Amino acid sequence: NLANIDPGFRVAGLTTFTLQPSGAAASKQMAPLVRDTMAALAGTADVQAVAAASSLPLMSRGATNVVGGHVPLNAEQAVTADEVSVTPGYFATIGLRLVRGREFTDQDTAGTERVAVVNESLARALFGDRNPIGERIGLQHVAIDTIVVGVARDTKASLRQPPEPAMFSPLAQHASPRMAVVIRTKSGRPLNVRTVRTLVTRIDSTVPVTEPATMAQRMAATLSR
């Protein structure tokens, strides 16, 4: 029964691995590393789409407190949500449908207005039945400086639990020292890990490729007990 639960995205045909540079400058190094890695993978035979995120569905995520429209007077007025940094094309690559608004683009940069995509659970918690597109949100006790540009379908953090609120930010606006790269192949077969390691080594030989797995394997691991 758990194996037949809809996780909220298309599992088949996805290969994943993690990039995690070492050192104090890891967050600053990540954006160009991810950009070059994605460009190299996009030119590989059988690759249909490639993107990256600080965490993927069915993986642990970093939590933060999010508010909508005003700074709360106390912590009880904020909503605890998973915080995920992603690259443009992430939602389309993993097959996560947007129910409102748009994905991030290359025009969402560090120099432009801060934007976010929220999932359905966070949209309901912050705005009820109102359309959240164009609304402003922010982190607790910080300026309300982020505009909601999209609403994504809920995905499962665990197949045994209901979906949790989540907020997605562009990697260009919210750096992360660790990113999971996700690749969708045309054939539906996993991409060869040796090919991936060779490409990453050419870009930066100091960065290891870790946690290689298909999304189906990640999903099976959550059911191992």
Side-chain angles (χ1 to χ4, degrees), residues 189-206:
R189 294 190 297 269
L191 193 66
N192 189 293
V193 175
R194 184 178 300 175
T195 300
V196 171
R197 286 199 168 105
T198 299
L199 289 173
V200 174
T201 299
R202 290 174 184 167
I203 295 166
D204 190 333
S205 60
T206 68

Side-chain angles (χ1 to χ4, degrees), residues 141-195:
H141 305 311
V142 179
I144 309 298
D145 60 354
T146 303
I147 295 180
V148 177
V149 296
V151 179
R153 186 185 178 202
D154 282 341
T155 59
K156 292 277 192 177
S158 166
L159 294 177
R160 296 177 175 84
Q161 302 295 330
E164 298 175 350
M167 181 183 83
F168 301 88
S169 303
L171 176 62
Q173 296 182 354
H174 195 278
S176 171
R178 179 181 185 275
M179 293 292 285
V181 178
V182 58
I183 307 152
R184 182 170 296 282
T185 59
K186 300 172 187 175
S187 65
R189 294 190 297 269
L191 193 66
N192 189 293
V193 175
R194 184 178 300 175
T195 300

Side-chain angles (χ1 to χ4, degrees), residues 1 24 26 41 43 46 71 74 94 102 105 110 112 115 119-120 140 155 161 176 180 190 211 216:
N1 287 335
L41 288 167
D46 199 31
V71 175
N74 55 60
I94 71 166
R102 66 170 178 87
T105 70
T112 62
V115 293
N119 71 350
E120 294 170 299
Q140 185 183 0
T155 59
Q161 302 295 330
S176 171
E211 302 177 301

Side-chain angles (χ1 to χ4, degrees), residues 53-77:
S54 56
S55 65
L56 298 172
L58 307 179
M59 291 174 62
S60 61
R61 302 171 175 176
T64 188
N65 289 328
V66 183
V67 293
H70 65 283
V71 175
L73 298 177
N74 55 60
E76 285 73 24
Q77 292 176 282

Side-chain angles (χ1 to χ4, degrees), residues 86-89 102-109 112 115 149 170 172-173:
V86 303
T87 61
R102 66 170 178 87
E103 278 216 43
F104 301 130
T105 70
D106 291 331
Q107 281 67 53
D108 297 315
T109 67
T112 62
V115 293
V149 296
Q173 296 182 354

